[in-house]
Amino acid sequence: MSAAATVLGPEAVRTLQRRTTAVLIVSQILGGLGVPMGIALAPVLATEVSGTEALSGLAPTASVAGTALLSIPLAALMTSRGRRPGLVLAYLIGALGAGLVVLAAVIGNFPLLLLGMAGFGAASSANLQARFAAADLAPPDRRARAISTVVWATTIGAVLGPNIAAPAGRGFAGTSIPQTAGPFLWAAGIFLITGLVVAVLLRPDPLLTARALAPPESQSAEGRSLRAGITAVKASPHARLALVTVAATHTVMVSIMVMTPVDLGHHGAGLELVGLVISGHIAGMYAFSPVMGWLSDRIGRLAVIGLAVGLLSFAALLAGTAGPSHAQTAAGLFVLGLGWSAGLVSGSALLTDSVPQQARAAVQGLSDLTMNTAAGIGGAAAGLIVSQAGYGWLNAIGACLLLPMATLALLAARRPPTSPVKAEFNSDLKTDQD
C-alpha cells in the first residue's frame, strides 16, 4: 500500500472525487459556452473569408485537427505533471487561437483563419480530457457515470453558446470586426476564465492522486509512455473496440454536424435558426449523457455501443432525407447528438477499464488523437462531398462508417459470458488486464 493510501481513506477519496467533479463541472459549463460558438459559425465564417463554399468545411476541420495534434503533447504533459497543467495550457492555447480567428476575419486572411481554428481546437481538447479527469478517482462500477456527469455539465454552456452567437456578433456592429467573428472574441475571454478556474481550484491533482493511491507495482514510470499505451491497446480487444467506437462516433457526428449549417442555409435558414438547430444537437450530445453513463454501468459497455450504432444510423437517415424540412433536420441533429453521447461515454469508460492504471493517460491521449484525426479527415471530406454530391450523400457515407464499429461490437458480444450481465465486462476486462 502506498503512503497516500494510508493518509487518504475511502471517505477522503470520495470527498476528493466530489470536489474534483464540482470543479470540472464549472470548467465544462464555461468551456461549453465558448466552443459551440465556433462550431456554429466556423463554416459560415470560412465561406465569407475564402469566398467559396467548397472550403467551408476546412475551418471546423482545422479545429478538429488542432484538437488531434495537441492530444499527444497534452497527454504527455498530464502524464508527467498531472491533469491541471495540461487543461490550463489547452485553454490558454484555445484563447490565443480564438484571437487569431478574429484577426484573420478582420484582414481577410484564410490561412490565418485556419491557424486560429487549429489553436481554438485546444479548448475542445481540454473539454474532452476533462471526462477522463473525472474518472481518475472513480470506482470501476461508477466510472461511466463519473464520465457522463462531466460530459453532461457541458450542456448548459453548449446550448446557450450557439444562441448567444448572433447577439454577441451584433455587439460589434459598427466596428471592423465582422458579426460572424465577434463571438470568437467572447470565446477567448471565456477560455481565459476557464483556465484560471482550473489552475486555482483543481487541487490536489486527480491523476497524481490516483497514481499515488495505486499499488506500488503499477507506479512504474516506464509504463506511462505513448509506446506503453499502444502496447496496452494491442493487448486488449476491448481497448481496440473502444478506440474504434470513439473514433467512428466522433467522425460521423463531426462530418454531418459541420455541414448542417450550410445545408440549412441552402434552404433559407437564417443565423438564429441555425443556432437553434445546433443547440438542439448539442443538447442531445450532453443533456442525456447521465442516462448513457447509467446504462453503461448497469447493462454493460457493449450494449450502449450497440445503442450508439442504432441512434447514429437513424440520425443519418433523418437528416439525409430532410430536404427543406427544417424540423426534420433538427430532429436528425438531435438524434445524432444522442448517438454521439452513447458512443463517447461507453467507449471512454471501456477504454479506461481496459488498460492498466499507469498507461491510462497515454492511452487516453492516443484515443483523442485517433478520434480527432479521423474526424478531421471526415470534416475535410464533408465539404467536398456536399459541394459535389449533396448533403444526403454525406449522411449515407456517414452511416457506412459505422460498419467497423458495429462489426467489432458484434464479435465481442459473441464471446461466452463469464458473469451476470451487469458485471459482464468487469470480469472480462479484468482478464484483459491480467
Side-chain angles (χ1 to χ4, degrees), residues 76-403:
L77 177 60
M78 291 181 190
T79 297
S80 61
R81 302 290 298 277
R83 298 288 186 191
R84 184 167 52 87
L87 292 176
V88 171
L89 179 61
Y91 283 121
L92 291 179
I93 296 174
L96 176 62
L100 289 178
V101 169
V102 176
L103 177 61
V106 171
I107 65 177
N109 188 312
F110 188 66
L112 184 61
L113 173 69
L114 296 183
L115 178 62
M117 287 304 303
F120 186 87
S124 294
S125 184
N127 284 357
L128 289 170
Q129 283 289 325
R131 76 191 191 276
F132 291 124
D136 285 334
L137 295 170
D141 62 343
R142 297 187 64 86
R143 191 167 282 148
R145 275 169 280 189
I147 292 171
S148 66
T149 297
V150 172
V151 172
W152 168 85
T154 312
T155 307
I156 300 173
V159 172
L160 289 176
N163 287 296
I164 67 173
R170 287 195 293 267
F172 292 92
T175 71
S176 59
I177 299 177
Q179 288 193 23
T180 48
F184 284 91
L185 199 56
W186 286 94
I190 290 170
F191 295 154
L192 290 175
I193 294 172
T194 307
L196 180 62
V197 168
V198 173
V200 172
L201 299 179
L202 195 64
R203 299 171 184 268
D205 191 279
L207 179 60
L208 298 183
T209 303
R211 189 175 294 159
L213 291 169
E217 61 270 17
S218 67
Q219 297 184 18
S220 170
E222 295 180 359
R224 301 173 190 168
S225 65
L226 178 60
R227 178 177 296 179
I230 294 173
T231 300
V233 170
K234 289 181 177 178
S236 170
H238 286 96
R240 295 196 294 272
L241 169 60
L243 277 181
V244 171
T245 295
V246 295
T249 295
H250 199 56
T251 301
V252 172
M253 186 277 290
V254 168
S255 300
I256 295 175
M257 180 268 295
V258 297
M259 295 311 300
T260 299
V262 176
D263 184 69
L264 286 169
H266 289 164
H267 297 291
L271 190 58
E272 284 78 6
L273 180 56
V274 170
L276 286 173
V277 171
I278 296 299
S279 291
H281 166 66
I282 294 173
M285 290 173 64
Y286 300 116
F288 295 90
S289 58
V291 177
M292 303 305 178
W294 181 84
L295 287 173
S296 187
D297 283 337
R298 186 72 176 177
I299 66 175
R301 317 308 194 212
L302 290 187
V304 181
I305 289 174
L307 175 63
V309 172
L311 288 170
L312 292 169
S313 300
F314 184 51
L317 176 64
L318 283 174
T321 59
S325 174
H326 295 156
Q328 185 173 331
T329 299
L333 266 288
F334 175 74
V335 177
L336 184 71
L338 288 178
W340 177 88
S341 180
L344 186 76
V345 170
S346 59
S348 298
L350 183 62
L351 184 68
T352 304
D353 290 341
S354 303
V355 297
Q357 198 281 334
Q358 70 268 28
R360 282 176 186 164
V363 171
Q364 289 159 354
L366 177 65
S367 170
D368 282 355
L369 170 65
T370 302
M371 67 185 278
N372 286 293
T373 299
I377 295 172
L384 296 175
I385 292 171
V386 169
S387 64
Q388 298 297 320
Y391 183 68
W393 274 104
L394 173 65
N395 282 269
I397 293 171
C400 292
L401 294 177
L402 299 170
L403 290 175

